[in-house]
Amino acid sequence: MRHSCNSPCLLVADLDRVLALDYDNKSMFPVVSNLSFAVDVDFHYNKGYIFWCDSEGIQRSNMDGTNITVIHNDKYCYGLAVEWDSLQLYWTDYYNKSIMVSDLDGNNKRIVFSSLSRPTDIVLDPHQGLMFWIDTGNISKVERSTLYGTQHVTIAVHNDTYSTGITLDRRRKLIFWLSQWNLIESIDYSGNNRRKVFQSDGLYFFGLTFISSDLFAINRWLSGSVYRLNTSDGKVKSNVTVTIYWGGFYGLVAYDSSLQLPVITCPVPSPSSGTRAICPRNATVHHNAVYYNTTCQFSCKDGYVGSGSQVRRCQRNGTWSGQNYSCQKITCPVLSPPTHGTRYGCPGNVPLYNGTVCRFTCNNGYVGSGSQVRRCQYDGTWSGQNFVCKTLKCPTLSLLRNGVLFGCNTNNTEMLYDTECRFFCKEGSEAIGATIKRCAENGTWIGPDLVCPGTRDANYWYYQNVMEFKWFSLIFTCCIHCVA
């Protein structure tokens, strides 16, 4: 800038020139002249650039007015805004009903948002990753989206069919806009707490800007003046008369380094680490960082366990408050193979992560109880019940009638797997069936039962032979005597 301009210093787009207004000193001087219907203006403080819309398109110069360059031929730009952190330029295309963006040199031009009615003024909050604009038509609306055109919402609606002039108090997250020619309203970023800031008959406001705690608005009526308003009570603090051309569309912006502070972000941990962050919807920048003063809640994905501070705030130095939150894969303790059995699928010499499956079987002669298949769960415990192998047993064999049993203790209630029992019939009988039976793997005895038909034990033989003989002899003797 050729001349010094003390804060609050205002840049004004006025038809064929851009003016700098040293408000407190009530002095004004041209920054750029010989323009063609300039309607809006913005700047990049650190780069020393000034941008404006006029009938030639979108142009840029140094702050001293030198090196004027047409960076876009869009002749329907009604509002523009500089995103100073990522070096992007946003503007409204009134005719094509869209919002456009490019870099500060005019490259990488693209549509951010389309299908609007008649967009006019636009402002940005790079700290929150948001843009706000006025869309006019049958009704006028204040609308919001991310800088990428997502999460589009209508913040406020008013009946005026044409409206321009919007600015932000970024610290308090407030929007100020001209809802009518003589009415200034405010609302917060979420669309709540709408209120009237200032209204007065006989005024014809157009441009609007905010710095410190004050609003500045251009009154286009007659010769023109710039009003300074208290945002709290809406009272006029002062006004400065300026010489402007009647009938133009005037843009107004406060020129101060405090309005373009570096954007502070904190990196969000990579999803591959198992960590996830739950942050406000508008907090993400390129999906891997969040803005200063954003509070996020950290947690772990399923199958991970976390340590550190779960709730953290992005601090002014670009780091997170609290302790680093990290997630490690959950492991389950090693399951020992069952005694007299085998373990499959979960070796004991590697970490056993969530989802690992263990299977168990028993050796021959043993039967399992518990869960044969167990899975490592999200909480580091195993599903199911402990698996054990118990010795397999067969029921005790009954003593044979008139037979003899060898190799088995008939006093036991059960007999172990693979036990062999041998059977013999007593003398005088024929053995039918298996003389050897073995306790099999399924807990039953192998072989048909042994029977000994015709077998006589000692008492039975004595009764059948001796007693029957004596009885016959007695009957025979009686018969002889009777006949005699």
Side-chain angles (χ1 to χ4, degrees):
M1 198 174 289
R2 293 191 183 102
H3 303 81
S4 62
C5 186
N6 300 312
S7 183
C9 177
L10 309 178
L11 297 178
V12 184
D14 176 32
L15 284 181
D16 69 344
R17 56 188 176 168
V18 173
L19 304 173
L21 172 61
D22 190 332
Y23 190 88
D24 288 339
N25 293 322
K26 300 181 181 180
S27 63
M28 184 170 59
F29 56 90
V31 179
V32 186
S33 301
N34 301 316
L35 304 180
S36 176
F37 211 78
V39 296
D40 202 10
V41 61
D42 204 358
F43 65 94
H44 192 293
Y45 193 89
N46 288 336
K47 290 283 186 182
Y49 288 154
I50 184 172
F51 299 83
W52 65 89
C53 297
D54 65 13
S55 61
E56 299 297 322
I58 299 175
Q59 302 194 60
R60 184 190 75 195
S61 76
N62 297 329
M63 284 304 301
D64 60 4
T66 62
N67 195 25
I68 297 176
T69 304
V70 177
I71 62 173
H72 290 296
N73 291 319
D74 293 14
K75 298 181 180 181
Y76 297 98
C77 167
Y78 271 42
L80 55 76
V82 172
E83 205 285 68
W84 60 88
D85 191 68
S86 61
L87 305 180
Q88 301 291 298
L89 178 66
Y90 289 75
W91 69 94
T92 60
D93 188 325
Y94 187 82
Y95 181 79
N96 291 304
K97 306 178 181 181
S98 60
I99 296 175
M100 310 293 295
V101 66
S102 74
D103 61 30
L104 299 185
D105 294 319
N107 301 317
N108 302 312
K109 177 182 174 182
R110 58 200 181 276
I111 297 174
V112 179
F113 208 93
S114 59
S115 302
L116 300 174
S117 294
R118 288 285 187 261
T120 56
D121 211 356
I122 184 171
V123 286
L124 311 176
D125 187 342
H127 296 281
Q128 298 298 316
L130 298 174
M131 61 179 175
F132 304 85
W133 66 91
I134 294 176
D135 194 15
T136 61
N138 294 330
I139 58 173
S140 292
K141 298 176 287 185
V142 176
E143 301 194 294
R144 183 198 76 199
S145 80
T146 67
L147 293 174
Y148 313 107
T150 60
Q151 301 173 27
H152 171 226
V153 295
T154 297
I155 296 294
V157 176
H158 47 281
N159 293 325
D160 205 359
T161 58
Y162 186 86
S163 177
T164 188
I166 186 170
T167 190
L168 302 175
D169 177 352
R170 297 185 181 94
R171 183 180 63 84
R172 294 188 295 168
K173 297 181 176 59
L174 294 176
I175 310 162
F176 297 92
W177 83 103
L178 292 167
S179 57
Q180 295 178 20
W181 299 113
N182 65 343
L183 173 61
I184 300 173
E185 294 192 73
S186 74
I187 200 168
D188 65 30
Y189 282 12
S190 299
N192 301 316
N193 304 308
R194 181 173 179 173
R195 69 182 182 92
K196 181 174 70 175
V197 177
F198 177 84
Q199 185 173 24
S200 178
D201 294 335
L203 298 180
Y204 188 17
F205 288 133
F206 209 88
L208 188 66
T209 192
F210 174 88
I211 184 173
S212 185
S213 60
D214 295 332
L215 281 173
F216 294 83
I218 293 178
N219 173 31
R220 291 176 54 192
W221 186 250
L222 299 177
S223 64
S225 56
V226 178
Y227 277 70
R228 185 176 192 170
L229 307 170
N230 187 305
T231 58
S232 298
D233 56 21
K235 292 182 179 180
V236 177
K237 299 175 72 172
S238 60
N239 70 83
V240 173
T241 300
V242 294
T243 303
I244 57 178
Y245 295 108
W246 172 250
F249 296 89
Y250 308 111
L252 178 67
V253 65
Y255 177 75
D256 194 281
S257 62
S258 66
L259 298 175
Q260 295 190 350
L261 297 175
V263 176
I264 301 168
T265 61
C266 295
V268 174
S270 168
S272 61
S273 68
T275 305
R276 59 187 174 193
I278 302 174
C279 306
R281 292 180 62 194
N282 61 359
T284 304
V285 182
H286 297 304
H287 307 290
N288 61 6
V290 296
Y291 293 105
Y292 161 69
N293 213 31
T294 298
T295 297
C296 294
Q297 184 170 353
F298 293 87
S299 61
C300 293
K301 295 180 179 180
D302 291 341
Y304 291 79
V305 61
S307 60
S309 302
Q310 278 193 282
V311 179
R312 308 182 73 186
R313 183 177 60 85
C314 181
Q315 303 177 115
R316 191 175 294 278
N317 61 358
T319 64
W320 290 100
S321 64
Q323 301 299 315
N324 183 46
Y325 190 83
S326 60
C327 298
Q328 293 79 37
K329 278 190 172 183
I330 291 174
T331 59
C332 289
V334 174
L335 292 175
S336 300
T339 304
H340 307 298
T342 306
R343 174 192 63 199
Y344 299 97
C346 51
N349 58 348
V350 296
L352 303 176
Y353 296 119
N354 163 247
T356 300
V357 174
C358 268
R359 291 179 170 82
F360 306 93
T361 58
C362 292
N363 299 337
N364 290 340
Y366 296 87
V367 62
S369 64
S371 302
Q372 195 169 5
V373 178
R374 304 184 71 184
R375 181 181 298 273
C376 179
Q377 302 178 115
Y378 292 136
D379 59 358
T381 63
W382 290 98
S383 64
Q385 304 297 319
N386 188 38
F387 185 84
V388 295
C389 294
K390 298 179 180 179
T391 305
L392 189 146
K393 297 179 180 179
C394 291
T396 301
L397 290 171
S398 301
L399 289 174
L400 288 175
R401 185 172 180 272
N402 301 314
V404 181
L405 178 63
F406 293 96
C408 301
N409 187 350
T410 57
N411 292 326
N412 293 335
T413 58
E414 294 176 309
M415 297 186 183
L416 302 183
Y417 162 73
D418 215 28
T419 297
E420 283 191 352
C421 290
R422 297 175 180 272
F423 301 88
F424 298 96
C425 292
K426 293 182 179 179
E427 185 177 356
S429 67
E430 179 184 0
I432 301 175
T435 58
I436 299 177
K437 302 188 80 171
R438 184 176 65 85
C439 180
E441 298 171 0
N442 60 358
T444 61
W445 292 97
I446 295 177
D449 292 338
L450 180 70
V451 294
C452 301
T455 302
R456 303 289 186 269
D457 60 27
N459 292 329
Y460 183 77
W461 184 89
Y462 178 79
Y463 176 81
Q464 289 290 95
N465 292 274
V466 176
M467 293 302 296
E468 288 184 6
F469 176 78
K470 289 181 177 180
W471 177 254
F472 176 79
S473 297
L474 177 62
I475 294 173
F476 180 78
T477 302
C478 290
C479 289
I480 293 176
H481 285 293
C482 288
V483 172

